[in-house]
Amino acid sequence: MILDHRGLEPPQPMMRTLAALAKLQPGETLTIINDRRPMFLYEQLDELGYKHETIEREDGSFQITITKG
């Protein structure tokens, strides 16, 4: 699943991401695209045991792939 959050103001991207993650089964992934690096989301992901990888895209946005542990 891919969620494109470009153009959304905080906290909408984080709220949408956490809601989508709650529906994942262990081992499934979610990819999000944000206008900015989601620093507060990283803290939540670490606390909840999710693995995440961030790539800065050519247009300046950030693509984060999150895997449920």
Side-chain angles (χ1 to χ4, degrees), residues 20-48:
L21 288 173
K23 298 175 185 175
L24 292 183
Q25 297 299 315
E28 290 185 325
T29 62
L30 170 69
T31 299
I32 61 172
I33 303 170
N34 286 11
D35 289 323
R36 54 189 72 78
R37 193 178 296 269
M39 300 310 293
F40 294 114
L41 176 62
Y42 293 142
E43 294 173 12
Q44 288 286 324
L45 295 175
D46 291 340
E47 286 179 18
L48 295 170

Side-chain angles (χ1 to χ4, degrees), residues 5 12-13 15 19 21-23 25 27 39 46 54 57-58 60:
H5 294 145
Q12 285 299 319
M15 293 173 64
L21 288 173
K23 298 175 185 175
Q25 297 299 315
M39 300 310 293
D46 291 340
T54 301
R57 297 163 45 118
E58 289 183 20

Side-chain angles (χ1 to χ4, degrees), residues 8 14 19-20 31 35 40-41 59 64 66:
L8 295 178
M14 185 163 158
T31 299
D35 289 323
F40 294 114
L41 176 62
D59 65 359
I64 301 94
I66 305 163

